[in-house]
Amino acid sequence: PGIGYNETFIQRVADITLAPDGTVTGNATIVCTGQRALHWRQRALEGDQVALKKEFDEQLQPDLTPGLLIQTDHFLGLDSEDSNLMVRMKVSGSLGTATGKRVFLPLSIFSAGANDPFASSRREEPIDLHYPFAEHDVVTLHLPPGFQVESVPGDSKVDLPQAAVYVSKAKADGQTVTFTRDYIMANILFGAADYNKLKGFYDDV
């Protein structure tokens, strides 16, 4: 599906290193355009940088993998509408669950804690998602010496014809695992009669 002129594009890139004890360190960069960038530029006019960093972290944290902490280091392009808004962040905390000789690691770290917005089985009112958006995530995970990748998730694709698409892929190369996630919502208005289709898409995602 196509994205219009008033869309929001969010790119989230993380490069993290796993220690043998399950802790991680690394860096992340988030790039925003459109409505999301406008939102944070408006918020910047209402307070100082310290408060803005805290608010950005607090909004992002609930969607992250439990145990992971991302803290804003600095903003770039915050006062320029002619450039993308970029946020540089530090990554720390713990990642994964140990069971015997194996460690299970979540790869979709930016959205692992996201709640399903359409949990109800029925809907009587139309749905307005406010604005089209596209999300592109890239997570690179470096394993410690002595660790081997046993398996990665298979490729996944979920379609909502003429409205949305979700694609995720994972690849292992030696001690490095790379995960990509693309999520596009091009249609933002849905009638109540389309609710089951929209809910089914979100359930699959």
Side-chain angles (χ1 to χ4, degrees):
I3 292 291
Y5 71 93
N6 200 32
E7 83 281 0
T8 283
F9 174 69
I10 300 174
Q11 176 177 275
R12 301 176 292 197
V13 178
D15 189 286
I16 54 180
T17 299
L18 178 72
D21 63 358
T23 59
V24 292
T25 56
N27 300 286
T29 300
I30 298 179
V31 178
C32 302
T33 70
Q35 294 293 322
R36 294 306 297 164
L38 177 61
H39 168 80
W40 290 110
R41 285 175 173 137
Q42 289 176 333
R43 295 296 295 155
L45 299 174
E46 301 170 4
D48 59 28
Q49 287 276 329
V50 174
L52 188 66
K53 290 179 183 179
K54 184 175 183 293
E55 183 179 349
F56 193 91
D57 294 347
E58 289 176 347
Q59 189 170 116
L60 182 66
Q61 192 65 45
D63 289 346
L64 299 178
T65 298
L68 199 66
L69 180 65
I70 296 185
Q71 293 181 304
T72 298
D73 185 71
H74 62 277
F75 295 93
L76 295 171
L78 191 59
D79 56 356
S80 174
E81 296 182 2
D82 297 328
S83 63
N84 295 337
L85 174 61
M86 184 178 296
V87 188
R88 300 286 194 184
M89 313 191 80
K90 299 293 185 182
V91 181
S92 61
S94 59
L95 188 69
T97 303
T99 58
K101 295 182 179 180
R102 293 179 174 85
V103 179
F104 293 89
L105 302 169
L107 295 177
S108 186
I109 63 172
F110 291 111
S111 58
N115 293 321
D116 184 351
F118 300 114
S120 175
S121 61
R122 298 182 61 186
R123 175 90 179 196
E124 297 181 356
E125 300 294 332
I127 301 102
D128 182 356
L129 299 178
H130 303 301
Y131 48 80
F133 64 83
E135 298 178 355
H136 177 64
D137 295 349
V138 180
V139 178
T140 302
L141 175 67
H142 305 281
L143 302 180
F147 280 57
Q148 294 181 348
V149 179
E150 183 176 84
S151 64
V152 296
D155 295 352
S156 178
K157 182 176 182 180
V158 184
D159 269 314
L160 184 58
Q162 303 303 313
V165 64
Y166 174 95
V167 178
S168 65
K169 298 180 180 182
K171 181 179 70 174
D173 184 7
Q175 297 298 105
T176 301
V177 181
T178 304
F179 172 80
T180 60
R181 172 184 176 273
D182 287 282
Y183 182 15
I184 297 174
M185 179 62 70
N187 183 27
I188 60 172
L189 299 176
F190 296 86
D194 298 320
Y195 178 68
N196 287 340
K197 293 180 181 179
L198 182 63
K199 173 177 168 53
F201 173 79
Y202 271 88
D203 287 346
D204 290 342
V205 168

